[in-house]
Amino acid sequence: MATTQLTSAASSISAKGFTSFEGLRASNAVKLSSFSPLKLNGETRRSFRGLVLRAATTVTPKYTSLRPLGDRVLVKIKAAEEKTSGGILLPTTALSKPQGGEVVAVGEGRLIGKNKVEISLKTGTQVVYSKYAGTEVEFDGSNHLILKEDDIVGTLDTDDIKDLKPLNDRVLIKVAEIEEKTAGGLFLTDASKEKPSIGTVVAVGPGRLDDEGDRKPLSVAPGNTVLYSKYAGNDFKGSDGSNYIALRASDVMAILS
């Protein structure tokens, strides 16, 4: 994604000197915060206590519509949660970056071979997308994301990730619980607990399109226990505290039984 944030407090330098373009202009929210010397073992070192870089493109008010092209989708980004489930207000640095929003416009589709494939998503659909996908755009006073349809993980009609309906070749997996003890019965600390790469398939997409534009069914099915690549996919937390991961079927290495 085109937006990177590392946050902090106090004095700021504004980038008002950035070149602007007619219609599209770079957002001028570039800040360097709290730059101060730091003494360590008698040596003076410089440290950045905060850095904010916003590369979101701002569409000027004179443009009243934004139409994606090809297989791109325009998504209005869901606002980040400002409170925990217990009602505690979160500081800006603790706000989780949203990975969901509402489809507000779609492109005309794309050609695969000689066949034109239309985008399967409709306006108004709530979707979940890959964490670093797309380009952020500030349009009509709200933050939006322009991304390819293939970067959308799935549709979600509720607030619980377990209800995700994966798209294309995506697979939703409920991650196995982390072992709390060693084989000898010793309790493991959080730092020594190994991230699991085993889980149970909850839902699968319809499959990837081949060169002729036909769907190829996936080789895994709901209920399968699978082994997947450790650092693949996007991690999510369910409403019941369970961990889920959404990844491509190609990142599933084996079915366990």
Side-chain angles (χ1 to χ4, degrees), residues 97-119:
K97 189 176 185 180
Q99 278 182 255
E102 178 184 346
V103 175
V104 293
V106 299
E108 68 274 13
R110 57 179 172 142
L111 283 175
I112 300 181
K114 295 181 180 180
N115 299 320
K116 183 176 180 180
V117 179
E118 294 185 353
I119 291 177

Side-chain angles (χ1 to χ4, degrees), residues 18-97:
F18 276 176
T19 304
S20 63
F21 302 90
E22 183 68 19
L24 297 179
R25 56 187 175 84
S27 172
N28 60 4
V30 175
K31 300 179 181 179
L32 298 178
S33 304
S34 231
F35 176 69
S36 61
L38 173 68
K39 287 191 176 182
L40 183 62
N41 295 329
E43 297 181 9
T44 299
R45 300 183 182 182
R46 293 178 177 181
S47 66
F48 287 99
R49 296 177 59 187
L51 175 64
V52 177
L53 296 176
R54 289 187 57 195
T57 300
T58 302
V59 180
T60 56
K62 74 174 184 177
Y63 295 104
T64 58
S65 68
L66 196 161
R67 179 171 61 88
L69 299 177
D71 60 341
R72 289 177 174 81
V73 177
L74 180 65
V75 175
K76 185 176 181 180
I77 300 174
K78 182 180 179 181
E81 294 291 339
E82 296 185 358
K83 293 183 180 180
T84 66
S85 56
I88 299 173
L89 286 173
L90 293 170
T92 304
T93 52
L95 294 179
S96 59
K97 189 176 185 180

Side-chain angles (χ1 to χ4, degrees), residues 151-221:
D151 288 324
I152 294 178
V153 175
T155 61
L156 186 63
D157 297 327
T158 70
D159 291 329
D160 197 342
I161 195 65
K162 72 178 178 59
D163 298 320
L164 179 76
K165 297 175 182 176
L167 296 179
N168 299 318
D169 61 340
R170 294 307 206 296
V171 178
L172 178 66
I173 295 171
K174 184 177 182 180
V175 179
E177 293 185 5
I178 300 176
E179 293 291 337
E180 300 285 341
K181 294 181 181 180
T182 65
L186 297 176
F187 282 96
L188 295 169
T189 63
D190 289 338
S192 61
K193 292 176 183 176
E194 185 177 358
K195 181 182 176 182
S197 54
I198 294 175
T200 303
V201 176
V202 176
V204 300
R208 179 177 284 277
L209 293 169
D210 65 14
D211 294 338
E212 301 299 323
D214 298 320
R215 293 282 180 187
K216 293 297 181 183
L218 303 183
S219 56
V220 295

Side-chain angles (χ1 to χ4, degrees), residues 132-158:
Y132 301 107
T135 299
E136 190 171 334
V137 177
E138 187 179 326
F139 174 67
D140 196 25
S142 301
N143 289 328
H144 293 73
L145 197 68
I146 297 180
L147 68 168
K148 288 182 174 290
E149 183 186 20
D150 191 52
D151 288 324
I152 294 178
V153 175
T155 61
L156 186 63
D157 297 327
T158 70

